[in-house]
Amino acid sequence: MERPVAIAPWYEAHKEEFAPPVCNRLMHRDQLSIMFVGGPNTREDFHIEMGAEFFYQLRGNMELPTIQKGARKVVRIGQGQVFLLPARVPHSPQRPEKNSLGLVIERRRNKHEMDALRFYTDPAKCDQPLWERY
């Protein structure tokens, strides 16, 4: 069994991994994947996962553009707030603020599940997919 981890010293030990363009570090992977994602980072691709994702914004703010009922809708997650994204919702996490830090928890994928990446012809509207791969 692993021991409890103090986030602040762990973050300092891995601080260089939170620099753009990657800005993330996987802390644990088993039944759940526990990762921290920093900012600034922005992206135009949308991720589709078969399971729910849990977001906790520890420092700074983030925006989570989603596609809901065929329309682009931005979910704003402020510092100290949590959000549970349902399964199969296309989303594109954005942390534009420097030194922002969020915790993301995902469940382990089943053997038959595949994530998808999707790009839209116009990232501001997201009304017509340009490219998608599972």
Side-chain angles (χ1 to χ4, degrees):
M1 181 182 299
E2 294 185 28
R3 295 182 174 175
V5 175
I7 295 171
W10 179 88
Y11 173 81
E12 287 300 318
H14 299 283
K15 196 172 187 173
E16 69 282 353
E17 296 174 57
F18 291 92
V22 178
C23 299
N24 69 47
R25 168 77 178 172
L26 183 67
M27 177 186 266
H28 177 78
R29 177 174 277 161
D30 194 12
Q31 282 184 316
L32 296 173
S33 290
I34 311 296
M35 70 190 88
F36 288 87
V37 185
N41 76 344
T42 58
R43 52 196 278 189
E44 291 188 353
D45 64 300
F46 280 73
H47 178 223
I48 304 168
E49 185 177 329
M50 299 301 115
E53 291 185 52
F54 178 83
F55 294 85
Y56 172 37
Q57 193 61 25
L58 290 116
R59 187 169 61 225
N61 302 295
M62 73 169 286
E63 293 183 351
L64 186 64
T66 62
I67 307 301
Q68 299 179 37
K69 297 181 181 176
R72 186 179 191 274
K73 180 178 178 186
V74 178
V75 177
R76 288 175 172 71
I77 306 170
Q79 182 171 309
Q81 292 184 321
V82 299
F83 178 72
L84 182 63
L85 179 73
R88 299 180 183 92
V89 174
H91 59 286
S92 182
Q94 312 283 322
R95 290 176 182 82
E97 296 176 16
K98 185 177 181 180
N99 297 319
S100 62
L101 183 66
L103 167 69
V104 180
I105 301 174
E106 303 172 346
R107 67 166 176 79
R108 183 182 346 180
R109 277 79 161 158
N110 294 322
K111 291 180 184 179
H112 66 280
E113 292 179 334
M114 298 200 50
D115 288 5
L117 281 181
R118 179 185 295 165
F119 287 87
Y120 291 89
T121 54
D122 182 350
K125 292 182 187 176
C126 298
D127 58 351
Q128 186 175 27
L130 172 68
W131 181 89
E132 179 176 280
R133 177 162 296 163
Y134 279 85

